[in-house]
Amino acid sequence: MAPMPHNVKVILLAIFIAFGECMSRYIWPGGFLFGYDIGVISGCLIMPDFVERFGEGPAGSRVLSASRQSIITSLLSAGTFVGSLAQAFTSDSMGRRGSILLWSAIFTVGTVIQTATNTSLVQITIGRFIAGLGVGAMSAIVPLYNGETAPKALRGTLLVVYQLQVIIGIFISYVIDLGTHAINNSASWRIPVGLQMLWGLILLSGMFFLPESPRHLVGQGKVEQARKVVAELNAVPMDDPLVTEIIDDLEYGIRAENEGGKATWLECFSTRNKLWYRTMNGMMLQFIQQLNGQNFYYYYGDTFFQSAGTELSAYVIQTILGAVSVVGTLPALYLIESMGRRNSLLTGSVLEAICALIAGLVGHFTLAPTGTPPSQLTSRNKQGGDTLIAFAVLHVFSFSMFWGPTPWVYLGESFPLRVRSKSIALGSATNWIWNFLLSFFAPRIAAKIGPLILLIFFGMLVFGFVYVYIFIPETKGLSLEEVDEMYRSGVKPWHSSSWRPHLYEKEPGVTDVREVRGKEDEAL
């Protein structure tokens, strides 16, 4: 076995690319489910200046209705849905690196439009939609790029770094909201929104120093460039046998994948190599992740916790949730490789379901009606609010360890190169369409049933456990080509942890893996 790569460039590459996703999710002053933006909008929705500018009613006493909150929060998600699909075209034609540059620029333009708005609800929503195009595209390109660039021994960990950067973005947004919400003018929300332009410029400048995906280079016939990138990322000379083996793997896999002409969107659902099954799994994991429940706290936590009767500021609670998310993601850097993808999802489903069930029931039976003055809250109301907040913290912590990063890791390593950009685009688009639906309908549902909305998330987590057990195989420790072989082998998901690749094993008397492939080609 080759030694685990420890090249500093690999680590910096993953961190920087993940920062791009963190930046993109910091994109709006409104609620995006995964990143900085989620935190920002949650705080902005109760900032007096923001409410006065974008609320409705007579001047001086305007309010943000549930419908207007959902519009402000969810419009970006409509853009992310479009962007996550559109990037499939740019990723193949411009390359992964060039595509990141393009969508980062689009994101920055959207941020400028939002920051420049004064009282126009239309302008801020258009800016959010344009920024959302960049967010959605980046959410698909980042796991695609990291999955194709990182050595397999570190791929899971480095893809978790992507999620860690997103969570850090959320935390930073909460800290900034906490520090600016008391300002008595538009700086209270313009500062956190405007900072996104800085993140955009950092990403745009930094991408000039990062390499193109070696898999994309080989697919374009640029083998020598790919060889150089592989050598740098694995910290070995260009003539090292490891480089030759990886390039041979890529050429062999790409040659097999390209038989039959250019891939189409329909091919993502074809029976060839169980592509339909793999695409379905990627989309389903993103769907389940969006309805885990923790995103409800991210989007509407400030508003929701105001009715919990706690003596802590809603901004302080959100900051605590952000810090918990960061701390919870750190163990995932280890657990994603030690526990594997499958066990991480199963464990997370159980822990989060328990938290959602208890928080929903306690909140329903103990919290006072929304709008109850603090002076009228009973000790039972306050104790119930404290209990709900405690389990909200545990819920977010469990999500950060398991369901937060793992679906993105799985999405980035489940598809052959031929359809990878399109299949990942479909998974990301699923994430964003459900992100949009959640952010649009959640405040309306919560306004009618209150904490019982958490029982909806409980039911989804139970469904998620069953789905993962029956349909999700283990991909830990496999190269992207070996993942392809595992799906073709027909192994049952609950037996997949013990499955081992054999397609490229050396046969007796054969000294070079290329001889094995030569025999396979002759047999075909």
Side-chain angles (χ1 to χ4, degrees):
M1 294 180 61
M4 179 176 288
H6 57 275
N7 189 347
V8 174
K9 188 169 184 177
V10 177
I11 307 298
L12 293 178
L13 179 147
I15 292 175
F16 191 81
I17 293 300
F19 172 77
E21 176 64 8
C22 166
M23 171 278 296
S24 64
R25 293 175 190 264
Y26 177 25
I27 239 169
W28 11 303
F32 171 78
L33 195 57
F34 273 98
Y36 189 117
D37 355 318
I38 298 175
V40 171
I41 193 54
S42 183
C44 288
L45 291 178
I46 58 174
M47 288 181 181
D49 187 84
F50 189 88
V51 173
E52 185 63 25
R53 290 174 183 270
F54 304 107
E56 49 193 347
S61 58
R62 291 178 178 171
V63 296
L64 275 177
S65 63
S67 61
R68 187 159 288 204
Q69 284 185 38
S70 65
I71 291 172
I72 294 174
T73 303
S74 63
L75 227 323
L76 181 132
S77 300
T80 59
F81 174 74
V82 177
S84 62
L85 293 175
Q87 66 76 34
F89 301 98
T90 61
S91 292
D92 288 338
S93 61
M94 301 175 59
R96 294 17 172 174
R97 181 172 169 271
S99 191
I100 291 174
L101 286 170
L102 171 66
W103 293 106
S104 297
I106 292 174
F107 155 76
T108 305
V109 170
T111 301
V112 172
I113 294 174
Q114 294 175 69
T115 308
T117 188
N118 189 25
T119 59
S120 173
L121 180 65
V122 173
Q123 182 175 339
I124 197 169
T125 52
I126 290 176
R128 285 172 50 76
F129 178 85
I130 294 174
L133 295 174
V135 175
M138 291 291 290
S139 71
I141 299 172
V142 168
L144 172 67
Y145 184 89
N146 257 343
E148 292 184 349
T149 307
K152 70 177 182 179
L154 292 175
R155 189 178 63 238
T157 298
L158 296 184
L159 283 171
V160 172
V161 171
Y162 145 77
Q163 177 69 14
L164 177 61
Q165 296 294 326
V166 174
I167 296 301
I168 291 175
I170 295 175
F171 174 63
I172 292 174
S173 75
Y174 290 159
V175 173
I176 293 176
D177 279 349
L178 178 63
T180 65
H181 77 278
I183 299 176
N184 293 322
N185 54 52
S186 64
S188 59
W189 57 270
R190 287 188 197 272
I191 290 176
V193 175
L195 279 175
Q196 298 168 98
M197 288 182 280
L198 175 61
W199 311 148
L201 293 175
I202 291 174
L203 184 66
L204 283 169
S205 60
M207 279 308 300
F208 288 103
F209 301 97
L210 295 179
E212 181 55 84
S213 159
R215 282 179 173 81
H216 178 76
L217 290 173
V218 172
Q220 296 294 311
K222 302 176 182 178
V223 179
E224 286 306 309
Q225 293 183 36
R227 187 181 298 275
K228 182 179 179 181
V229 172
V230 170
E232 290 179 352
L233 295 178
N234 286 275
V236 296
M238 286 183 63
D239 58 355
D240 190 277
L242 176 62
V243 176
T244 301
E245 181 178 349
I246 291 175
I247 294 298
D248 285 346
D249 282 346
L250 294 178
E251 289 182 319
Y252 182 78
I254 290 171
R255 186 169 66 250
E257 290 164 3
N258 286 341
E259 294 177 355
K262 188 176 180 180
T264 65
W265 288 95
L266 286 178
E267 188 172 337
C268 297
F269 299 96
S270 71
T271 57
R272 176 177 175 266
N273 293 342
K274 289 192 173 181
L275 289 178
W276 69 271
Y277 179 41
R278 297 151 78 165
T279 300
M280 178 189 72
N281 278 349
M283 296 173 68
M284 286 298 295
L285 287 182
Q286 296 296 325
F287 158 64
I288 296 169
Q289 188 206 53
Q290 287 303 300
L291 295 180
N292 262 216
Q294 86 297 328
N295 292 316
F296 175 75
Y297 297 126
Y298 287 149
Y299 274 129
Y300 303 106
D302 286 358
T303 304
F304 192 62
F305 292 138
Q306 277 187 332
S307 64
T310 178
E311 296 181 359
L312 293 175
S313 161
Y315 289 100
V316 172
I317 296 173
Q318 286 293 79
T319 303
I320 293 173
L321 287 179
V324 167
S325 297
V326 173
V327 174
T329 306
L330 293 176
L333 296 169
Y334 171 77
L335 295 175
I336 195 68
E337 296 296 349
S338 61
M339 291 182 62
R341 289 57 161 154
R342 178 179 165 85
N343 287 335
S344 292
L345 293 172
L346 292 172
T347 302
S349 296
V350 173
L351 295 178
E352 290 182 61
I354 293 173
C355 293
L357 178 63
I358 295 176
L361 293 177
V362 169
H364 175 69
F365 289 110
T366 64
L367 292 189
T370 301
T372 301
S375 60
Q376 297 181 17
L377 296 176
T378 66
S379 59
R380 175 183 173 84
N381 297 147
K382 295 180 179 180
Q383 290 173 359
D386 291 340
T387 302
L388 186 149
I389 292 170
F391 278 95
V393 169
L394 292 175
H395 191 150
V396 169
F397 184 81
S398 299
F399 173 84
S400 300
M401 280 198 297
F402 301 116
W403 272 93
T406 306
W408 292 105
V409 173
Y410 194 86
L411 190 65
E413 62 186 12
S414 294
F415 307 105
L417 181 63
R418 178 175 170 82
V419 297
R420 184 169 294 138
S421 62
K422 291 182 173 62
S423 293
I424 290 179
L426 289 170
S428 297
T430 302
N431 181 293
W432 293 118
I433 192 63
W434 283 100
N435 177 8
F436 168 77
L437 293 173
L438 175 71
S439 59
F440 188 82
F441 289 107
R444 292 170 166 82
I445 296 174
K448 292 183 178 297
I449 64 175
L452 286 181
I453 190 175
L454 297 175
L455 298 188
I456 298 176
F457 304 133
F458 165 76
M460 180 53 61
L461 287 161
V462 172
F463 168 76
F465 180 92
V466 174
Y467 185 88
V468 170
Y469 185 83
I470 296 176
F471 294 108
I472 302 298
E474 182 57 70
T475 56
K476 180 185 73 172
L478 302 177
S479 70
L480 299 184
E481 289 70 33
E482 289 166 348
V483 170
D484 193 51
E485 180 192 348
M486 179 186 65
Y487 272 100
R488 293 199 310 268
S489 72
V491 63
K492 300 296 183 184
W494 49 91
H495 294 150
S496 59
S497 296
S498 59
W499 181 87
R500 294 294 179 270
H502 64 276
L503 179 61
Y504 301 147
E505 288 178 354
K506 293 182 179 180
E507 300 176 0
V510 177
T511 59
D512 194 297
V513 70
R514 284 169 288 187
E515 296 180 38
V516 177
R517 292 166 181 156
K519 290 187 175 184
E520 291 170 352
D521 290 340
E522 291 176 6
L524 290 174

